[in-house]
Amino acid sequence: MAKVPNLFEDLKSCYSENEEYASALDHLSLDQKSFYDTSYGPLDKSCLDECESLNISETSEASNLTFEENLVVVSTSAHGKVLKKRRVNLNQNTTSEDLEAVDSDLEEEIIKPRSAPYSLQNEMRFRYLKILKKEFVLTDSIHQNIIRDSTGQHLRARAITDLSHEVKFDMGGYISATDQSTNPVTLRISKTRLFVCAQEEDQPVLLKEMPETPRVITGNDLNLIFFWETERSRNFFRSAVNSELYLATKVNSEVFMAKAPTYMKDFLIS
């Protein structure tokens, strides 16, 4: 009669073999140093808010990482103040240079809009029309003549008796395609290429030499344009670059740019 095999004996044999194999693996794992070094010292509190920069030598310059979710990077100061909060877009390829830039940027730059004059914001453009007045004399409200100063680069208001020092001007008329309500002009010393050029507030105007009468004025040359305004016999010249500033004078001083009505800003044309 055939002997019936004892299934429990076979199972016991298998278990014994597996136990020996597992024991051998445990012994091997104890003898072999782990790939990951898990012995860490306690983290210093001063390092909690610091970011450690990536070592370029340890990262591949050609490596590409694709984020499956948005990543928000936050840096804080020792007092808990948030200095930077940056979000990395979904599914964008990120190189080691990108990660280094995020880490090294300690404080996010705040971009503030720059204030620009109304005329520059609308890209004003003026086209030459014709000479409106030729070889006239400018005097201010206390009858000081507008003449060239000793350097020849600025204008000065001064009472004169010697007419040889008298300076005459030409007024060139221009037209604006965007604003028909103003009267844009240039002021040039007659028989020269020197044009009156507006500057910042309280700064003396300059005499700017141009190769010829500009046919189109825009961009950096807009400070050659003044808006000519009249009230009875008085004439005002307002800057096109800064509509708050006018040609102005003081007693025996350089002609400069000022806000009304701080100084004398009205002129007589003769």
Side-chain angles (χ1 to χ4, degrees):
M1 180 180 292
K3 185 179 179 180
V4 178
N6 190 340
L7 298 179
F8 292 100
E9 290 293 334
D10 293 338
L11 290 174
K12 183 178 180 181
S13 176
C14 292
Y15 176 79
S16 178
E17 291 176 1
N18 290 338
E19 186 178 26
E20 292 176 1
Y21 179 73
S23 177
L25 286 178
D26 292 340
H27 179 72
L28 179 62
S29 64
L30 290 174
D31 292 340
Q32 182 178 356
K33 185 177 180 181
S34 173
F35 178 78
Y36 299 98
D37 187 4
T38 57
S39 59
Y40 295 100
L43 184 61
D44 189 3
K45 292 183 178 180
S46 62
C47 299
L48 291 177
D49 292 332
E50 296 180 1
C51 296
E52 179 157 345
S53 61
L54 295 174
N55 190 344
I56 298 178
S57 63
E58 297 176 359
T59 58
S60 172
E61 293 184 359
S63 63
N64 288 325
L65 300 178
T66 302
F67 290 91
E68 296 180 356
E69 296 181 357
N70 283 346
L71 174 64
V72 177
V73 180
V74 178
S75 294
T76 60
S77 68
H79 301 289
K81 179 182 178 182
V82 176
L83 297 179
K84 175 183 63 178
K85 189 173 183 179
R86 178 175 297 186
R87 185 177 296 276
V88 180
N89 292 332
L90 278 169
N91 300 325
Q92 71 176 30
N93 290 333
T94 305
T95 64
S96 58
E97 288 81 2
D98 297 327
L99 294 176
E100 190 174 57
V102 170
D103 180 65
S104 60
D105 184 13
L106 295 180
E107 194 162 347
E108 194 75 18
E109 180 183 3
I110 299 175
I111 301 176
K112 296 181 179 180
R114 293 183 178 178
S115 59
Y118 174 81
S119 57
L120 295 183
Q121 290 178 352
N122 290 272
E123 297 182 357
M124 296 181 72
R125 183 183 180 91
F126 300 94
R127 182 169 54 83
Y128 177 72
L129 189 60
K130 62 180 180 178
I131 293 291
L132 300 180
K133 292 182 178 293
K134 195 170 184 180
E135 296 188 358
F136 61 89
V137 175
L138 279 175
T139 54
D140 64 13
S141 58
I142 59 173
H143 305 291
Q144 293 184 119
N145 284 74
I146 308 304
I147 62 174
R148 293 178 68 179
D149 69 357
S150 57
T151 67
Q153 297 179 341
H154 304 283
L155 296 175
R156 176 172 288 275
R158 190 174 69 183
I160 61 172
T161 56
D162 187 356
L163 295 182
S164 63
H165 293 95
E166 191 175 63
V167 173
K168 294 184 179 181
F169 295 87
D170 295 339
M171 183 187 297
Y174 284 75
I175 187 170
S176 171
T178 58
D179 187 359
Q180 304 296 328
S181 64
T182 59
N183 193 9
V185 299
T186 57
L187 296 173
R188 182 188 66 182
I189 295 181
S190 300
K191 300 179 181 179
T192 72
R193 297 176 180 176
L194 298 174
F195 288 78
V196 179
C197 181
Q199 299 298 300
E200 301 293 332
E201 184 178 3
D202 296 331
Q203 296 297 315
V205 299
L206 292 176
L207 293 175
K208 183 176 181 179
E209 185 171 8
M210 303 292 291
E212 60 181 5
T213 298
R215 298 298 166 178
V216 175
I217 294 179
T218 187
N220 293 332
D221 291 330
L222 282 173
N223 50 9
L224 298 177
I225 292 288
F226 295 89
F227 295 132
W228 179 30
E229 302 170 356
T230 59
E231 183 180 334
R232 297 181 182 178
S233 61
R234 298 187 297 171
N235 300 268
F236 305 86
F237 297 95
R238 180 164 54 92
S239 172
V241 174
N242 190 332
S243 60
E244 295 182 342
L245 301 182
Y246 289 79
L247 282 181
T249 61
K250 292 185 291 187
V251 177
N252 194 21
S253 69
E254 293 176 323
V255 179
F256 60 101
M257 304 302 301
K259 293 181 180 179
T262 309
Y263 301 100
M264 294 176 288
K265 61 184 181 62
D266 53 308
F267 297 86
L268 296 174
I269 294 177
S270 59

Short mmCIF file of all heavy atoms in Angstrom, two decimals, residues 196-234:
data_model
loop_
_atom_site.label_atom_id
_atom_site.label_comp_id
_atom_site.label_asym_id
_atom_site.label_seq_id
_atom_site.Cartn_x
_atom_site.Cartn_y
_atom_site.Cartn_z
N VAL A 196 15.52 126.37 -27.20
CA VAL A 196 15.28 126.34 -25.76
C VAL A 196 14.78 124.95 -25.40
O VAL A 196 13.84 124.43 -26.00
CB VAL A 196 14.26 127.41 -25.35
CG1 VAL A 196 14.00 127.36 -23.84
CG2 VAL A 196 14.75 128.80 -25.76
N CYS A 197 15.42 124.36 -24.38
CA CYS A 197 15.14 122.97 -24.00
C CYS A 197 14.76 122.92 -22.52
O CYS A 197 15.56 123.28 -21.65
CB CYS A 197 16.39 122.12 -24.27
SG CYS A 197 16.20 120.39 -23.88
N ALA A 198 13.54 122.48 -22.21
CA ALA A 198 13.05 122.41 -20.83
C ALA A 198 13.80 121.36 -20.04
O ALA A 198 14.23 120.33 -20.58
CB ALA A 198 11.56 122.11 -20.82
N GLN A 199 13.94 121.61 -18.72
CA GLN A 199 14.59 120.68 -17.82
C GLN A 199 13.64 120.34 -16.66
O GLN A 199 12.44 120.60 -16.75
CB GLN A 199 15.90 121.28 -17.29
CG GLN A 199 16.91 121.61 -18.37
CD GLN A 199 17.36 120.39 -19.15
OE1 GLN A 199 17.91 119.44 -18.60
NE2 GLN A 199 17.12 120.39 -20.46
N GLU A 200 14.19 119.78 -15.58
CA GLU A 200 13.39 119.45 -14.42
C GLU A 200 13.01 120.71 -13.64
O GLU A 200 13.51 121.80 -13.92
CB GLU A 200 14.14 118.49 -13.50
CG GLU A 200 14.54 117.18 -14.16
CD GLU A 200 13.35 116.33 -14.51
OE1 GLU A 200 12.31 116.47 -13.82
OE2 GLU A 200 13.42 115.54 -15.47
N GLU A 201 12.13 120.55 -12.66
CA GLU A 201 11.69 121.68 -11.85
C GLU A 201 12.88 122.35 -11.16
O GLU A 201 13.77 121.67 -10.64
CB GLU A 201 10.68 121.22 -10.80
CG GLU A 201 10.10 122.35 -9.98
CD GLU A 201 9.07 121.87 -8.98
OE1 GLU A 201 8.85 120.65 -8.89
OE2 GLU A 201 8.49 122.73 -8.29
N ASP A 202 12.89 123.69 -11.19
CA ASP A 202 13.92 124.53 -10.57
C ASP A 202 15.28 124.43 -11.27
O ASP A 202 16.27 124.98 -10.77
CB ASP A 202 14.10 124.21 -9.08
CG ASP A 202 12.85 124.52 -8.27
OD1 ASP A 202 12.10 125.43 -8.67
OD2 ASP A 202 12.60 123.83 -7.26
N GLN A 203 15.34 123.75 -12.40
CA GLN A 203 16.58 123.65 -13.16
C GLN A 203 16.57 124.64 -14.32
O GLN A 203 15.55 124.80 -14.99
CB GLN A 203 16.77 122.23 -13.71
CG GLN A 203 16.93 121.16 -12.63
CD GLN A 203 18.17 121.40 -11.80
OE1 GLN A 203 19.25 121.69 -12.33
NE2 GLN A 203 18.03 121.31 -10.49
N PRO A 204 17.70 125.32 -14.57
CA PRO A 204 17.74 126.28 -15.68
C PRO A 204 17.57 125.59 -17.02
O PRO A 204 18.04 124.46 -17.22
CB PRO A 204 19.13 126.91 -15.55
CG PRO A 204 19.94 125.93 -14.77
CD PRO A 204 18.99 125.24 -13.85
N VAL A 205 16.87 126.26 -17.93
CA VAL A 205 16.69 125.70 -19.27
C VAL A 205 18.02 125.70 -20.00
O VAL A 205 18.92 126.50 -19.71
CB VAL A 205 15.63 126.48 -20.06
CG1 VAL A 205 14.29 126.42 -19.36
CG2 VAL A 205 16.06 127.93 -20.27
N LEU A 206 18.15 124.81 -20.96
CA LEU A 206 19.36 124.70 -21.76
C LEU A 206 19.10 125.22 -23.17
O LEU A 206 17.96 125.26 -23.64
CB LEU A 206 19.82 123.24 -21.84
CG LEU A 206 20.33 122.59 -20.56
CD1 LEU A 206 20.65 121.13 -20.82
CD2 LEU A 206 21.55 123.32 -20.03
N LEU A 207 20.19 125.59 -23.82
CA LEU A 207 20.13 125.90 -25.24
C LEU A 207 20.73 124.70 -25.98
O LEU A 207 21.93 124.43 -25.88
CB LEU A 207 20.91 127.18 -25.55
CG LEU A 207 20.30 128.46 -24.96
CD1 LEU A 207 21.20 129.67 -25.23
CD2 LEU A 207 18.90 128.71 -25.53
N LYS A 208 19.88 123.98 -26.68
CA LYS A 208 20.29 122.74 -27.34
C LYS A 208 20.47 122.98 -28.82
O LYS A 208 19.58 123.49 -29.51
CB LYS A 208 19.23 121.66 -27.11
CG LYS A 208 19.59 120.30 -27.68
CD LYS A 208 18.53 119.28 -27.32
CE LYS A 208 18.88 117.91 -27.85
NZ LYS A 208 17.84 116.90 -27.46
N GLU A 209 21.65 122.61 -29.33
CA GLU A 209 21.94 122.81 -30.75
C GLU A 209 21.41 121.63 -31.56
O GLU A 209 21.70 120.47 -31.26
CB GLU A 209 23.44 122.97 -30.98
CG GLU A 209 23.77 123.30 -32.43
CD GLU A 209 25.23 123.66 -32.61
OE1 GLU A 209 26.00 123.52 -31.64
OE2 GLU A 209 25.60 124.10 -33.72
N MET A 210 20.63 121.94 -32.58
CA MET A 210 20.08 120.92 -33.46
C MET A 210 20.67 121.12 -34.86
O MET A 210 20.97 122.25 -35.27
CB MET A 210 18.55 121.04 -33.52
CG MET A 210 17.87 120.92 -32.16
SD MET A 210 18.01 119.28 -31.44
CE MET A 210 16.95 118.33 -32.55
N PRO A 211 20.84 120.03 -35.61
CA PRO A 211 21.41 120.18 -36.96
C PRO A 211 20.53 120.99 -37.90
O PRO A 211 21.03 121.64 -38.83
CB PRO A 211 21.57 118.73 -37.43
CG PRO A 211 20.63 117.93 -36.57
CD PRO A 211 20.59 118.63 -35.26
N GLU A 212 19.22 120.94 -37.67
CA GLU A 212 18.27 121.71 -38.47
C GLU A 212 16.96 121.79 -37.70
O GLU A 212 16.81 121.18 -36.64
CB GLU A 212 18.04 121.04 -39.83
CG GLU A 212 17.49 119.65 -39.72
CD GLU A 212 17.30 118.99 -41.08
OE1 GLU A 212 17.68 119.59 -42.11
OE2 GLU A 212 16.76 117.87 -41.10
N THR A 213 16.03 122.55 -38.24
CA THR A 213 14.72 122.62 -37.60
C THR A 213 14.05 121.25 -37.67
O THR A 213 13.86 120.71 -38.77
CB THR A 213 13.84 123.67 -38.31
OG1 THR A 213 14.44 124.96 -38.19
CG2 THR A 213 12.45 123.71 -37.69
N PRO A 214 13.71 120.65 -36.52
CA PRO A 214 13.11 119.31 -36.54
C PRO A 214 11.75 119.31 -37.24
O PRO A 214 10.90 120.13 -36.92
CB PRO A 214 12.96 118.97 -35.05
CG PRO A 214 13.87 119.90 -34.33
CD PRO A 214 13.91 121.14 -35.15
N ARG A 215 11.59 118.41 -38.19
CA ARG A 215 10.32 118.29 -38.88
C ARG A 215 9.31 117.47 -38.08
O ARG A 215 8.10 117.71 -38.17
CB ARG A 215 10.53 117.65 -40.27
CG ARG A 215 11.43 118.49 -41.18
CD ARG A 215 10.80 119.84 -41.46
NE ARG A 215 11.74 120.78 -42.05
CZ ARG A 215 11.43 122.02 -42.43
NH1 ARG A 215 10.19 122.45 -42.24
NH2 ARG A 215 12.34 122.82 -42.94
N VAL A 216 9.82 116.52 -37.32
CA VAL A 216 8.99 115.71 -36.43
C VAL A 216 9.69 115.65 -35.08
O VAL A 216 10.89 115.37 -35.01
CB VAL A 216 8.75 114.29 -36.97
CG1 VAL A 216 7.98 113.45 -35.95
CG2 VAL A 216 8.00 114.33 -38.29
N ILE A 217 8.95 115.95 -34.02
CA ILE A 217 9.52 115.91 -32.66
C ILE A 217 8.76 114.87 -31.85
O ILE A 217 7.54 114.91 -31.73
CB ILE A 217 9.43 117.28 -31.98
CG1 ILE A 217 10.32 118.29 -32.71
CG2 ILE A 217 9.84 117.19 -30.52
CD1 ILE A 217 10.30 119.69 -32.12
N THR A 218 9.53 113.93 -31.30
CA THR A 218 8.96 112.87 -30.46
C THR A 218 10.06 112.31 -29.57
O THR A 218 11.23 112.70 -29.70
CB THR A 218 8.35 111.75 -31.33
OG1 THR A 218 7.67 110.81 -30.49
CG2 THR A 218 9.42 111.02 -32.12
N GLY A 219 9.70 111.44 -28.66
CA GLY A 219 10.69 110.74 -27.84
C GLY A 219 11.54 111.67 -27.01
O GLY A 219 11.05 112.52 -26.26
N ASN A 220 12.88 111.52 -27.15
CA ASN A 220 13.82 112.26 -26.30
C ASN A 220 13.87 113.75 -26.62
O ASN A 220 14.44 114.52 -25.84
CB ASN A 220 15.23 111.68 -26.46
CG ASN A 220 15.33 110.28 -25.90
OD1 ASN A 220 14.59 109.92 -24.99
ND2 ASN A 220 16.22 109.47 -26.46
N ASP A 221 13.29 114.17 -27.75
CA ASP A 221 13.32 115.60 -28.12
C ASP A 221 12.05 116.34 -27.70
O ASP A 221 11.90 117.52 -28.03
CB ASP A 221 13.51 115.74 -29.64
CG ASP A 221 14.90 115.31 -30.07
OD1 ASP A 221 15.85 115.46 -29.27
OD2 ASP A 221 15.04 114.83 -31.22
N LEU A 222 11.18 115.69 -26.94
CA LEU A 222 9.93 116.34 -26.55
C LEU A 222 10.15 117.56 -25.67
O LEU A 222 9.28 118.43 -25.59
CB LEU A 222 9.02 115.35 -25.82
CG LEU A 222 8.26 114.36 -26.70
CD1 LEU A 222 7.53 113.33 -25.85
CD2 LEU A 222 7.28 115.09 -27.60
N ASN A 223 11.31 117.64 -25.00
CA ASN A 223 11.55 118.81 -24.14
C ASN A 223 11.84 120.06 -24.94
O ASN A 223 12.03 121.14 -24.37
CB ASN A 223 12.66 118.53 -23.13
CG ASN A 223 13.92 117.97 -23.79
OD1 ASN A 223 14.04 117.93 -25.01
ND2 ASN A 223 14.85 117.51 -22.97
N LEU A 224 11.85 119.96 -26.27
CA LEU A 224 11.94 121.17 -27.12
C LEU A 224 10.58 121.82 -27.31
O LEU A 224 10.49 122.98 -27.71
CB LEU A 224 12.50 120.80 -28.50
CG LEU A 224 13.92 120.22 -28.56
CD1 LEU A 224 14.27 119.86 -30.00
CD2 LEU A 224 14.93 121.22 -28.00
N ILE A 225 9.52 121.09 -27.01
CA ILE A 225 8.16 121.58 -27.25
C ILE A 225 7.60 122.27 -26.01
O ILE A 225 7.68 121.76 -24.89
CB ILE A 225 7.23 120.42 -27.65
CG1 ILE A 225 7.61 119.89 -29.04
CG2 ILE A 225 5.77 120.84 -27.64
CD1 ILE A 225 7.27 120.83 -30.19
N PHE A 226 7.02 123.45 -26.23
CA PHE A 226 6.28 124.18 -25.19
C PHE A 226 4.87 124.44 -25.72
O PHE A 226 4.67 124.66 -26.93
CB PHE A 226 6.95 125.52 -24.87
CG PHE A 226 8.31 125.38 -24.26
CD1 PHE A 226 9.44 125.32 -25.07
CD2 PHE A 226 8.48 125.31 -22.89
CE1 PHE A 226 10.71 125.19 -24.51
CE2 PHE A 226 9.75 125.18 -22.32
CZ PHE A 226 10.86 125.12 -23.14
N PHE A 227 3.91 124.42 -24.81
CA PHE A 227 2.54 124.80 -25.18
C PHE A 227 2.39 126.30 -24.93
O PHE A 227 2.48 126.78 -23.79
CB PHE A 227 1.52 124.01 -24.37
CG PHE A 227 1.56 122.53 -24.66
CD1 PHE A 227 1.59 121.62 -23.61
CD2 PHE A 227 1.57 122.06 -25.95
CE1 PHE A 227 1.62 120.26 -23.86
CE2 PHE A 227 1.60 120.70 -26.22
CZ PHE A 227 1.63 119.80 -25.17
N TRP A 228 2.18 127.01 -26.01
CA TRP A 228 2.06 128.48 -25.95
C TRP A 228 0.63 128.84 -25.56
O TRP A 228 -0.33 128.51 -26.23
CB TRP A 228 2.43 129.05 -27.32
CG TRP A 228 2.34 130.55 -27.42
CD1 TRP A 228 2.53 131.46 -26.43
CD2 TRP A 228 2.04 131.29 -28.61
NE1 TRP A 228 2.37 132.74 -26.91
CE2 TRP A 228 2.07 132.67 -28.25
CE3 TRP A 228 1.76 130.96 -29.93
CZ2 TRP A 228 1.83 133.68 -29.17
CZ3 TRP A 228 1.53 131.97 -30.85
CH2 TRP A 228 1.56 133.32 -30.47
N GLU A 229 0.51 129.55 -24.43
CA GLU A 229 -0.78 129.97 -23.92
C GLU A 229 -0.77 131.49 -23.76
O GLU A 229 0.24 132.07 -23.35
CB GLU A 229 -1.08 129.29 -22.58
CG GLU A 229 -1.06 127.76 -22.66
CD GLU A 229 -1.10 127.10 -21.30
OE1 GLU A 229 -1.07 127.84 -20.28
OE2 GLU A 229 -1.16 125.86 -21.23
N THR A 230 -1.88 132.11 -24.07
CA THR A 230 -1.95 133.57 -24.00
C THR A 230 -3.13 134.02 -23.13
O THR A 230 -4.16 133.34 -23.06
CB THR A 230 -2.11 134.19 -25.41
OG1 THR A 230 -3.30 133.68 -26.01
CG2 THR A 230 -0.92 133.84 -26.28
N GLU A 231 -2.94 135.16 -22.49
CA GLU A 231 -3.99 135.80 -21.71
C GLU A 231 -3.80 137.30 -21.83
O GLU A 231 -2.89 137.87 -21.26
CB GLU A 231 -3.92 135.36 -20.24
CG GLU A 231 -5.03 135.93 -19.38
CD GLU A 231 -4.92 135.46 -17.94
OE1 GLU A 231 -4.35 134.39 -17.70
OE2 GLU A 231 -5.39 136.22 -17.06
N ARG A 232 -4.65 137.91 -22.65
CA ARG A 232 -4.50 139.32 -23.01
C ARG A 232 -3.13 139.51 -23.67
O ARG A 232 -2.82 138.87 -24.66
CB ARG A 232 -4.70 140.22 -21.81
CG ARG A 232 -6.11 140.13 -21.22
CD ARG A 232 -6.29 141.05 -20.02
NE ARG A 232 -7.62 140.92 -19.45
CZ ARG A 232 -8.04 141.58 -18.38
NH1 ARG A 232 -7.22 142.43 -17.75
NH2 ARG A 232 -9.26 141.40 -17.94
N SER A 233 -2.29 140.34 -23.10
CA SER A 233 -0.97 140.56 -23.71
C SER A 233 0.11 139.68 -23.10
O SER A 233 1.27 139.76 -23.49
CB SER A 233 -0.57 142.04 -23.55
OG SER A 233 -0.47 142.39 -22.18
N ARG A 234 -0.26 138.83 -22.17
CA ARG A 234 0.72 137.98 -21.49
C ARG A 234 0.82 136.63 -22.19
O ARG A 234 -0.17 136.09 -22.69
CB ARG A 234 0.34 137.80 -20.02
CG ARG A 234 0.33 139.10 -19.24
CD ARG A 234 0.11 138.86 -17.76
NE ARG A 234 -1.18 138.26 -17.50
CZ ARG A 234 -1.55 137.78 -16.30
NH1 ARG A 234 -0.70 137.84 -15.28
NH2 ARG A 234 -2.75 137.27 -16.15
#
